[in-house]
Amino acid sequence: MKRGFADIFKTDSVLKTLVLCVLTIGSYLIYKLYRFTSQINQHTEFKISNLFIAAAIVLFVISSGSLIYGLANYHDLTILKSSIGIHAISSAFDVTWIVMVRNRINLIAGSNKGDNLWLHPFVTSIFHVIYMQYKINQGLAKKVI
């Protein structure tokens, strides 16, 4: 399927995405993943389950809350230790979600390994939605797809 990025995604500032991801301690990452997923689900047949999205978001909120609570009560290490398990599960869901969105963007772009718009797995694992937005912006600027 080659409908084109223009039919699905919008250009957005990569710098803004980076700054908001850092300032919101990852919350903007989840928001951007949700936006990308919503755009993919609305405009393509490459759907990502709404149940999976809801589970990932709920786990992220619980994980973030428990980590913040644990750090606020750092004198009681059992609280912080108990939050590590939920954080690991939440992280597994987040990574899975990132991979799912990355794979769908590659499908939409019709990109294969080595192509200009191909989302490299290693770079995606480090920069997540920042890199995705960068590649989307590239695709929209070239109007190749």
Side-chain angles (χ1 to χ4, degrees):
M1 172 181 198
K2 287 192 175 185
R3 290 188 51 184
F5 279 171
D7 295 338
I8 301 168
F9 301 110
K10 293 184 171 98
T11 303
D12 198 6
S13 168
V14 174
L15 181 61
K16 176 186 99 175
T17 303
L18 170 67
V19 169
L20 286 174
C21 282
V22 171
L23 289 179
T24 63
I25 313 167
S27 295
Y28 192 72
L29 165 87
I30 298 300
Y31 169 76
K32 276 302 257 193
L33 275 175
Y34 177 79
R35 290 291 303 143
F36 288 153
T37 302
S38 177
Q39 291 163 334
I40 289 166
N41 283 351
Q42 286 176 8
H43 301 288
T44 74
E45 70 269 8
F46 308 123
K47 309 284 187 228
I48 297 173
S49 166
N50 288 328
L51 182 60
F52 177 84
I53 296 165
I57 292 170
V58 167
L59 285 169
F60 176 81
V61 170
I62 292 170
S63 171
S64 298
S66 67
L67 285 173
I68 290 168
Y69 182 77
L71 290 172
N73 295 295
Y74 67 90
H75 57 278
D76 186 2
L77 289 179
T78 56
I79 294 172
L80 191 56
K81 286 179 184 177
S82 66
S83 70
I84 291 173
I86 190 71
H87 182 69
I89 294 167
S90 173
S91 295
F93 268 76
D94 294 344
V95 167
T96 302
W97 193 6
I98 289 165
V99 169
M100 292 166 73
V101 171
R102 172 199 167 278
N103 290 343
R104 281 152 178 86
I105 291 173
N106 279 339
L107 285 170
I108 292 164
S111 295
N112 296 309
K113 186 175 182 177
D115 291 347
N116 187 40
L117 294 179
W118 186 67
L119 287 161
H120 191 282
F122 181 72
V123 180
T124 305
S125 69
I126 296 171
F127 295 107
H128 313 304
V129 295
I130 299 158
Y131 179 59
M132 290 176 193
Q133 188 63 61
Y134 170 74
K135 288 296 188 174
I136 288 169
N137 290 352
Q138 271 187 334
L140 289 171
K142 290 185 176 186
K143 300 194 192 291
V144 174
I145 22 187

